Amino acid sequence: MSVALRRAAPSDFSEVRRITRDAYLRAGHFAADHPYMGVLEDVEHRAAHAQVWVAEAAGKVVAAVTLTFTGQPYSEIARDGELEFRMLAVDPAHQGGGLGRAVVRAIVEHARQLPGIAAISITSATFMERAHALYRSLGFRRAPERDWHVPGEDVLLWVFRLEL
């Protein structure tokens, strides 16, 4: 599937919020009242402190992702020379058709154009098996030495990395 990845405009924020919320809830990753859902839904804050991007297919926003770099407020694991992406969400109405794969490929192509970026890193909860399969199929490798726990919770997060 062909997608066009672009920076989200303020007019996209409500759709980014809906897609992200719906995707995370449908996947069963979090309950609607989990505190992290508030972080996911605060697109305005993300856009002010990181780069929120959307993927369009046939002129419609169908996915969203946040890009960040080391030292930025939304960066959890990025090191110098790495682009980190977070909060990848595909509209549940469009899942299963390769959109997630297309978005990650577009992120990889974007990263290759960025001066000084030699790798991409991502954190993924241990229970997000579909995401792990996608990342591995695109060449990402586990970096277990960088795994970490969510502060105050018994949740282990795995780190995946792709050398560009």
Side-chain angles (χ1 to χ4, degrees):
M1 172 167 287
S2 174
V3 298
L5 194 66
R6 65 169 173 81
R7 282 291 282 271
S11 60
D12 297 314
F13 291 175
S14 64
E15 192 66 356
V16 169
R17 185 175 2 272
R18 182 197 65 76
I19 288 169
T20 305
R21 183 178 202 288
D22 290 355
Y24 275 74
L25 290 176
R26 179 177 182 208
H29 297 321
F30 302 101
D33 62 349
H34 190 282
Y36 191 59
M37 291 303 295
V39 174
L40 292 170
E41 292 176 342
D42 194 349
V43 180
E44 292 77 8
H45 190 270
R46 272 196 275 158
H49 298 283
Q51 297 179 10
V52 177
W53 290 66
V54 295
E56 287 184 324
K60 182 176 180 181
V61 173
V62 294
V65 66
T66 298
L67 306 181
T68 187
F69 303 88
T70 188
Q72 293 183 339
Y74 273 79
S75 178
E76 294 176 325
I77 58 165
R79 293 180 175 170
D80 287 341
E82 288 182 345
L83 165 72
E84 178 180 350
F85 75 88
R86 299 186 54 200
M87 305 173 183
L88 173 62
V90 174
D91 189 332
H94 298 278
Q95 289 180 1
L99 276 173
R101 177 174 304 281
V103 171
V104 175
R105 282 184 173 148
I107 292 167
V108 170
E109 290 311 309
H110 173 68
R112 285 189 169 123
Q113 306 305 313
L114 297 174
I117 297 300
I120 300 172
S121 60
I122 181 156
T123 295
S124 184
T126 57
F127 53 80
M128 296 180 170
E129 287 117 6
R130 286 183 63 202
H132 304 164
L134 170 65
Y135 303 143
R136 285 184 176 116
S137 73
L138 293 171
F140 285 78
R141 298 289 172 248
R142 287 261 295 112
E145 71 282 2
R146 293 173 65 183
D147 293 351
W148 57 286
H149 284 86
V150 175
E153 294 189 36
D154 187 26
V155 176
L156 176 63
L157 299 173
W158 285 353
V159 174
F160 289 83
R161 188 169 190 272
L162 175 70
E163 293 276 341
L164 298 176

